[in-house]
Each structure stands twice: as structure tokens, then as C-alpha cells.
Amino acid sequence: VLALATLAAGSPTFSPLLFSVQLALAALALGAVNAAMLLGHWYLIEHDLDLAPLTRMLAFCRACLAAEVVCVLAGVAVLWLWPGSPWSGGFATLASGRYAWLIAGRIAAWALAGFLLILIRKTLAIPQTMAATGLFYIEALVGAVGQILGLWLLFRTGLPL
């Protein structure tokens, strides 16, 4: 329903499916980070636990973030290159105009989220579960801010970032 409500006039017919997949991947990425953060709290209470579940959750978070970024960028590329799309050639104007800071913030949030996941992996290699749990907190905050920026762009422009 959200995909249909934000669909720009003249968008390709597959756009609602594309938007729906992107929104589902965004929810999956945020849910994975929050679940990993909560799992990290278990390691703060119980000592000498095996790190395998937390490292698997970290790998799942990385996969979710990668899938979200790839899907969004592929969707933007398809909407940009699709003949007759309202975004054919208009993305450059949008990116350099009124919403440039929002687009830059969205991309920066993805980059920071990826960097934090690398830091968490290195922190778990030490192993320091308390620091990793704190980094998962920051990751959850960065992910939430990135999703807010992405939804703001979606509602204002109809472009799924």
C-alpha cells in the first residue's frame, strides 16, 4: 500500500513490487541490527558464552545491509534508465538540487553503517562483547536515521532511496 501511495505518475508498472522489496529489506536490515544488539546484551549478563551466535548475527546484518543497498541502487538505476519513467534523466537534477543534502545523508548513513559493521567484526575478534554491543547500538541509530532520510526522500520525491 505504501508503495502504491508514493508511486510517481508515469512510473513503470513493476515499481510497486520494487518499492515493496526495498521497504521489506530496509525493515529486515533494521530488525537484524536490533536483534544483534539485544543478543549482545545476553553476552553482558552471561560470561564465557560461545561467540558463534553473535558472529553469525553480525554476518546476517552485513548481508541485510548489502542486500538493501544493492536493491535500492538497482531500483534507482532502473527508474533512471527506464524509458518514459518520471526519473529518466531527472535524478541528476534531484541530486544536485533541493534534496542533495538528504541524498548525501542517506549515502553517508549506508557508508557509516558498513564501517560500523567492520568495527564490530574487529571488536568481536578481540573478543570484547561489551564494546561490540555498544557499536550495535550506534549501528541501530545510524540505520534508523538512514531509514528516516530514505522515507523522507521517498515521500517528497517518489524516489526509493
Side-chain angles (χ1 to χ4, degrees), residues 39-112:
L39 181 61
H41 282 87
W42 186 258
Y43 287 85
L44 300 179
I45 297 169
E46 293 289 331
H47 301 288
D48 301 325
L49 291 174
D50 185 21
L51 286 179
L54 195 56
T55 54
R56 279 195 309 266
M57 197 66 208
L58 173 62
F60 183 65
C61 289
R62 285 194 325 246
C64 289
L65 179 65
E68 177 192 3
V69 170
V70 166
C71 185
V72 168
L73 294 181
V76 168
V78 165
L79 289 177
W80 187 11
L81 299 173
W82 192 267
S85 170
W87 297 113
S88 296
F91 183 72
T93 305
L94 179 71
S96 63
R98 181 176 176 182
Y99 300 104
W101 284 104
L102 292 175
I103 293 171
R106 179 64 168 141
I107 294 169
W110 279 331
L112 183 56

